[in-house]
Every structure is written in structure tokens, then in C-alpha cells.
């Protein structure tokens, strides 16, 4: 991220990455039922609440990076985990 941000920053292009952790409704968790052992384990990782992150939680971060509010942020990677350790 940082190298690409340096390379194309002069063109007023920002480069950032959103790194979601286990997300309800995405990847493995599109078909995992409520009693799936991996789901049960990951639902309690976040100190913010006993739920998994949602697709909307991740989309909100992407919207931030795509919008004008992040115009001065470049070369960053943001872990979207609800505070859970990576």
C-alpha cells in the first residue's frame, strides 16, 4: 500500500486497503448456520459486542475510503475487526 501510494500519489490518487476479519454474510459464513462451530467461536472475538461483523460494517469503511472524508489518507491498511485481535 505504501509503495503504491508513493508511486501514484502525485496524480492525486489515494491507495488504501480494507482488511475485514470474519464477516457474517461473506465467504465461509454465507452458508454457515447459527450452530456452526467456527461461527460460535468467532462471534465472541470482538470486545465491542458478541456478534460478528456484518457486510454493512465493512461496506461503511469502504465508503469512507472511497469518499472525500479520507482525501488525506493514503498508503494505509485498516483492519475491520470490531477491536478483535488480528
Amino acid at each position: 500500500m505504501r509503495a503504491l501510494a508513493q508511486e501514484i500519489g502525485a496524480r492525486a490518487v489515494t491507495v488504501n486497503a480494507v482488511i475485514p476479519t470474519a464477516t457474517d454474510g461473506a465467504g465461509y459464513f454465507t452458508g454457515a448456520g447459527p450452530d456452526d462451530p467456527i461461527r460460535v467461536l468467532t462471534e465472541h472475538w470482538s470486545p465491542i459486542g458478541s456478534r460478528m461483523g456484518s457486510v454493512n460494517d465493512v461496506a461503511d469503511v469502504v465508503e469512507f475510503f472511497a469518499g472525500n472524508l479520507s482525501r488525506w489518507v493514503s498508503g494505509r491498511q485498516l483492519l475491520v475487526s470490531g477491536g478483535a485481535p488480528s
Side-chain angles (χ1 to χ4, degrees), residues 21-49:
T21 57
T23 303
D24 193 18
Y28 174 84
F29 298 103
T30 55
D35 295 331
D36 183 281
I38 297 174
R39 174 183 292 279
V40 171
L41 177 70
T42 57
E43 283 179 336
H44 302 286
W45 280 351
S46 169
I48 292 177

Side-chain angles (χ1 to χ4, degrees), residues 56-74:
N56 288 335
D57 292 327
V58 177
D60 288 345
V61 176
V62 172
E63 182 180 10
F64 166 73
F65 275 137
N68 198 37
L69 291 174
S70 67
R71 66 187 171 275
W72 201 240
V73 179
S74 192

